[in-house]
């Protein structure tokens, strides 16, 4: 299984609550850059899991313009900023198994994404994710390996 963990694009702080923060124009552009990068590296996603927070939903809207529809799209409260990383990983892997997904995209937030990486990959410290950055993890049987972290500034040509 290929698991892509993506942080939402840059978001404004001008909102009534954290849940309602919107992407900035740069956030939309960077999300598009990363969508183009995804298209070059993967043809489709079997499963996409997205946080219910507005900025994550808007990031998915930008990314989805470039990719075919996934077999399954799930909005998941477990991948919000203050979510429990162990539970989030367990739920993501359960959905992956339920839908027999081989290519999975999760769009969420810091700090949970960093903690999810360290839950999945033994011995790795939680990495920091720039906005719109994507970490790729390959999972074979019970073994997970960290492949790479890619950020918008690395894909702009």
């Amino acid at each position: 299984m290929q698991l892509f963990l993506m942080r939402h694009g840059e978001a404004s702080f001008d909102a009534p609550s954290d849940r309602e923060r919107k992407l900035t124009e740069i956030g939309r552009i960077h999300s598009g850059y990363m969508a183009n990068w995804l298209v070059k590296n993967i043809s489709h996603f079997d499963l996409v899991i997205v946080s219910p927070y507005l900025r994550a939903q808007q990031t998915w809207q930008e990314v989805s313009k470039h990719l075919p529809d996934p077999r399954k799209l799930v909005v998941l409260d477990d991948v919000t900023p203050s979510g429990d990383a162990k539970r989030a990983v367990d739920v993501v892997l359960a959905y992956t198994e339920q839908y027999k997904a081989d290519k999975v995209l999760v769009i969420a937030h810091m700090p949970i994404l960093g903690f999810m990486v360290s839950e999945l990959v033994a011995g790795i410290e939680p990495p920091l994710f720039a906005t719109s950055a994507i970490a790729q993890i390959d999972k074979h049987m019970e073994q997970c390996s960290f492949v790479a972290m890619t950020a918008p500034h690395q894909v702009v040509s």
Side-chain angles (χ1 to χ4, degrees):
M1 172 185 64
Q2 291 179 293
L3 178 62
F4 294 83
L5 301 176
M6 181 178 189
R7 184 177 177 194
H8 60 79
E10 179 186 270
S12 167
F13 287 98
D14 183 24
S17 71
D18 187 41
R19 182 178 280 272
E20 299 169 271
R21 290 175 52 209
K22 295 179 182 176
L23 288 185
T24 63
E25 188 59 29
I26 292 293
R28 288 186 185 283
I29 292 167
H30 285 178
S31 296
Y33 290 162
M34 295 310 294
N36 287 328
W37 177 84
L38 282 169
V39 167
K40 291 177 185 172
N41 290 282
I42 195 159
S43 60
H44 71 282
F45 285 103
D46 302 307
L47 171 65
V48 175
I49 296 174
V50 185
S51 161
Y53 283 31
L54 182 57
R55 60 193 179 272
Q57 292 290 313
Q58 290 177 324
T59 299
W60 169 240
Q61 288 169 3
E62 293 300 317
V63 170
S64 69
K65 293 175 185 176
H66 303 265
L67 292 162
D69 290 339
R71 271 194 293 131
K72 183 68 178 172
L73 172 65
V74 176
V75 176
L76 187 63
D77 285 325
D78 292 302
V79 294
T80 57
S82 60
D84 177 82
K86 170 99 172 83
R87 176 167 169 71
V89 165
D90 289 346
V91 172
V92 166
L93 294 178
Y95 273 112
T96 299
E97 187 174 315
Q98 178 181 353
Y99 295 108
K100 298 181 181 8
D102 186 51
K103 295 175 174 84
V104 180
L105 173 64
V106 176
I107 300 176
H109 313 266
M110 281 298 291
I112 194 167
L113 286 170
F115 293 127
M116 287 175 71
V117 170
S118 63
E119 284 290 331
L120 286 159
V121 183
I124 192 170
E125 291 293 319
L128 294 176
F129 282 68
T131 52
S132 299
I134 299 172
Q136 182 181 348
I137 296 172
D138 285 350
K139 183 177 187 312
H140 301 284
M141 306 295 277
E142 295 302 312
Q143 185 71 26
C144 288
S145 57
F146 184 84
V147 176
M149 174 80 76
T150 307
H153 71 276
Q154 295 171 297
V155 299
V156 178
S157 44

